[in-house]
Amino acid sequence: MPADTTVVIIGAGPAGMSLANFLQRRGVSCVVLEMRDRAYVEGRQRAGVIDHRAGEIFAEFGLDGPVAAGGPVETLLEIRTDGVPRLLDVPALAGGRPSRLVPQQMLVQRLIGTFLDGGGDLRFGALDVTPHDLGGDRPRVTYRDADGGEHELSCDYVAGCDGFHGVSRRSIPEGELTTYSFDHGIGWYTVLADSPAPRYPLMAVSRHGFAAQFARGPRASRFYLQYRPGDDPRQWPDEHTWSQLRLRLGDESLPAGAITGREVVEMRSFVAEPMSYGRMFLVGDAAHIITPMGAKGMNLAIADAYVLARAIIDGDGLDEYSATCLRRTWDYQEFSRWYTEMVHDAGDDSVSGPFRRRLALARLDRLFRSPPAAAAFADLMAGTEVSRASP
Ligand code: RFL
């Protein structure tokens, strides 16, 4: 006989584990199926910022302490143009709404720990996870465990929280989804390094290309460097990476440290509409990906999980789930694109040309000249609440 639960959650990343904890806190049964092992999932380093809205969401479920606490509160944002620093007090401009530094792997570790401590059912190493009967009243999800044992779960809802490459979106029949993809035409090389945290989160706009530096703990930083199309920065010797960073950050004394991680980030956006099919709901990267500018990827995943959890817990709002989440998704996509254009066009003009460089510099300048423009920027950085959309 198939075992029953209310929600089968596919994927134990930020989206799946946020949803699992929200449901558990309100007594809704769920089973999480994750194809990787625990060490892999808890070690994956990506995002680093929980915006203020995500903090409020965790607080609503009593998870502020166990999950979202500990990271120092982000204060000023530094935007350095050709070596000249300017500071924005983003939380103050947003009306006293600070974001927090909580590395993604720490958030996921805490979410997993809290869920398991609460008696949660989380199955790692679940292979060949396959949803069935999504259009019916009682969907099923089958999978194979590491020993080859076959399992089946029946449920009321399936939450597809399995990221961009997962199985959930792919199990929606062709023709039921409209997808939007956009390549921003910009390459980013990101390195994780043993390098002291910057004074403030730092964005550097320069003729040599864009660079950024963010704290990942007191003694580690994540750096981002724009690279030219056709270049392969993974071939760069580390000394070249450091000299480019010194040039772009306008900081000749930036010390070189051990580089512990190297990745190329695709500056790509993607949205699937609608974010549901029958009794399956797509949550987080399974439904959309966004450029890292504005740091919204993980926060969108948490916000989607919240909207879905509330609808399931309240027994009201599932029909509007997709429209509500898409409203925020497109709002953040627009913000991320706006931000991306500004800091890249204002620097190296070999791609977008001198006219767009002047436009981007004007856009950047407006943030420091116009309090309403700065407040609008800060509002998006803090994370926005969207009202429930009609289905
Ligand atoms: P995830 O994190 O990809 O988790 C999906 C989980 O599903 C599992 N899975 C499956 N499980 C069972 N069966 C299957 N068939 C499965 N297929 C996949 C996977 O193993 C995994 O555990 O998606 P989720 O939960 O939606 O979370 C999204 C965030 O991870 C993502 O948006 C952010 O990391 C994006 N992002 C950033 N977001 C921010 O908010 N701020 C940032 O500063 C930021 N920086 C980044 C980033 C993403 C990056 N990369 C590498 C994509 C920096 C980088 C470098």
Side-chain angles (χ1 to χ4, degrees):
M1 279 291 287
D4 294 318
T5 188
T6 306
V7 187
V8 171
I9 299 173
I10 306 175
M17 290 317 302
S18 297
L19 177 63
N21 276 279
F22 301 155
L23 294 176
Q24 183 183 53
R25 293 268 154 156
R26 294 293 181 269
V28 177
S29 68
C30 62
V31 177
V32 185
L33 300 177
E34 165 61 50
M35 70 177 185
R36 303 284 193 163
D37 63 24
R38 183 170 179 176
Y40 181 92
V41 173
E42 291 190 339
R44 200 164 29 201
Q45 304 195 8
R46 288 176 169 185
V49 177
I50 296 184
D51 67 19
H52 184 261
R53 177 66 197 132
E56 281 179 339
I57 289 173
F58 287 122
E60 183 177 325
F61 287 91
L63 291 162
D64 202 25
V67 167
V73 169
E74 185 189 324
T75 50
L76 300 176
L77 170 69
E78 178 172 345
I79 303 188
R80 211 177 272 175
T81 313
D82 290 322
V84 179
R86 284 185 288 186
L87 299 175
L88 279 179
D89 187 340
V90 180
L93 287 162
R97 291 187 294 146
S99 301
R100 305 165 198 200
L101 292 174
V102 182
Q104 181 164 330
Q105 75 277 14
M106 188 190 284
L107 181 79
V108 171
Q109 279 163 28
R110 289 171 173 178
L111 286 166
I112 288 175
T114 307
F115 183 67
L116 292 177
D117 287 350
D121 187 343
L122 166 51
R123 306 180 191 179
F124 290 104
L127 302 173
D128 295 336
V129 171
T130 312
H132 308 268
D133 306 335
L134 294 171
D137 284 346
R138 194 77 186 153
R140 293 172 300 117
V141 180
T142 54
Y143 70 97
R144 207 163 36 79
D145 64 32
D147 300 323
E150 308 274 350
H151 302 267
E152 179 172 302
L153 293 160
S154 74
C155 55
D156 292 336
Y157 309 108
V158 178
C161 306
D162 46 355
F164 183 66
H165 300 287
V167 67
S168 298
R169 193 179 65 252
R170 278 187 280 121
S171 32
I172 296 177
E174 192 136 340
E176 295 289 342
L177 285 184
T178 303
T179 59
Y180 302 85
S181 302
F182 185 73
D183 180 348
H184 295 259
I186 297 165
W188 266 18
Y189 181 42
T190 173
V191 297
L192 198 59
D194 296 335
S195 179
R199 239 176 358 149
Y200 309 115
L202 168 61
M203 305 273 177
V205 172
S206 101
R207 290 276 197 177
H208 306 280
F210 172 77
Q213 182 185 4
F214 303 107
R216 289 295 185 263
R219 279 175 298 278
S221 293
R222 182 175 281 284
F223 293 95
Y224 292 92
L225 296 102
Q226 175 187 4
Y227 66 89
R228 283 164 189 271
D231 199 356
D232 182 2
R234 281 167 298 197
Q235 306 300 325
W236 291 0
D238 288 353
E239 196 34 58
H240 179 72
T241 303
W242 288 111
S243 68
Q244 278 296 311
L245 283 170
R246 289 188 192 109
L247 211 55
R248 297 173 190 207
L249 301 178
D251 179 2
E252 282 177 14
S253 59
L254 181 74
I259 294 183
T260 54
R262 298 171 179 76
E263 246 177 292
V264 168
V265 180
E266 292 175 36
M267 293 290 273
R268 218 157 32 97
S269 297
F270 174 88
V271 181
E273 291 191 356
M275 287 171 56
S276 59
Y277 170 73
R279 287 179 169 259
M280 148 110 83
F281 298 88
L282 301 177
V283 185
D285 277 18
H288 41 65
I289 52 171
I290 188 163
T291 77
M293 290 304 307
K296 288 301 177 197
M298 181 167 78
N299 292 299
L300 267 178
I302 296 165
D304 290 350
Y306 173 75
V307 175
L308 184 57
R310 276 259 67 99
I312 292 173
I313 292 161
D314 299 343
D316 178 31
L318 277 174
D319 289 347
E320 294 98 331
Y321 168 78
S322 173
T324 302
C325 292
L326 283 168
R327 183 178 278 180
R328 180 183 359 244
T329 299
W330 282 113
D331 189 30
Y332 285 4
Q333 291 284 6
E334 194 286 326
F335 173 54
S336 189
R337 172 68 192 164
W338 172 91
Y339 202 170
T340 302
E341 251 178 22
M342 178 171 72
V343 297
H344 292 86
D345 287 2
D348 176 1
D349 65 12
S350 63
V351 181
S352 48
F355 184 76
R356 281 177 59 173
R357 175 161 193 269
R358 301 301 303 176
L359 294 184
L361 285 167
R363 192 186 279 186
L364 194 55
D365 202 39
R366 189 185 297 133
L367 283 184
F368 295 93
R369 254 190 326 97
S370 157
F377 171 80
D379 186 48
L380 283 151
M381 291 294 284
T384 52
E385 183 41 28
V386 293
S387 54
R388 222 165 104 172
S390 350

